[in-house]
């Protein structure tokens, strides 16, 4: 099915909790980075996103943004035994002091 609603955990211990998807594929929820993200000052962040219609596309793409300028883009895959797996790429943006520093602001 590949519906994002529910709780997802990454290989590195990050956790994403997604509310029920709306009819137009929008969702909200929370994101908690895992231990690899740093010290205890990293807290849960709100997230907002959208997913392709899983009724039309069997393995839909999705994207979401967290409150601390991080964006995730990915796709949900359904395995041969019906298991759902998310594969995602993340981009994190830091503030740049000037346009000449722009190149190093995105990780």
């Amino acid at each position: 099915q590949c519906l994002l609603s529910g709780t997802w955990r990454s290989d590195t211990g990050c956790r994403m909790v997604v509310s029920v998807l709306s009819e137009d594929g929008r969702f909200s929820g929370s994101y908690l980075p895992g231990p690899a993200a740093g010290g205890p000052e990293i807290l849960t962040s709100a997230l907002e996103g959208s997913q392709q219609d899983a009724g039309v596309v069997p393995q839909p793409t999705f994207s979401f943004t967290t409150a601390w300028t991080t964006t995730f883009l990915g796709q949900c895959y359904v395995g041969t035994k019906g298991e759902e797996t998310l594969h995602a790429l993340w981009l994190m943006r830091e503030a740049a002091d000037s346009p000449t520093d722009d190149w190093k602001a995105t990780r």
Side-chain angles (χ1 to χ4, degrees), residues 6-19 27-37 42-48 62 64-68 70-72 86 88-92:
T7 300
W8 297 86
R9 186 174 304 275
S10 75
D11 294 340
T12 60
C14 299
R15 191 175 63 216
M16 176 176 76
V17 179
V18 176
S19 66
F27 61 87
S28 61
S30 61
Y31 180 81
L32 179 62
I42 306 234
L43 302 174
T44 300
S45 174
L47 66 82
E48 297 286 331
F62 63 89
F64 66 90
T65 302
T66 66
W68 20 268
T70 302
T71 298
F72 293 79
L86 304 182
L89 170 71
W90 65 271
L91 297 170
M92 186 162 111

Side-chain angles (χ1 to χ4, degrees), residues 32-61:
L32 179 62
E41 71 280 355
I42 306 234
L43 302 174
T44 300
S45 174
L47 66 82
E48 297 286 331
S50 62
Q51 174 186 338
Q52 282 181 299
D53 186 342
V56 176
V57 181
Q59 301 187 110
T61 60

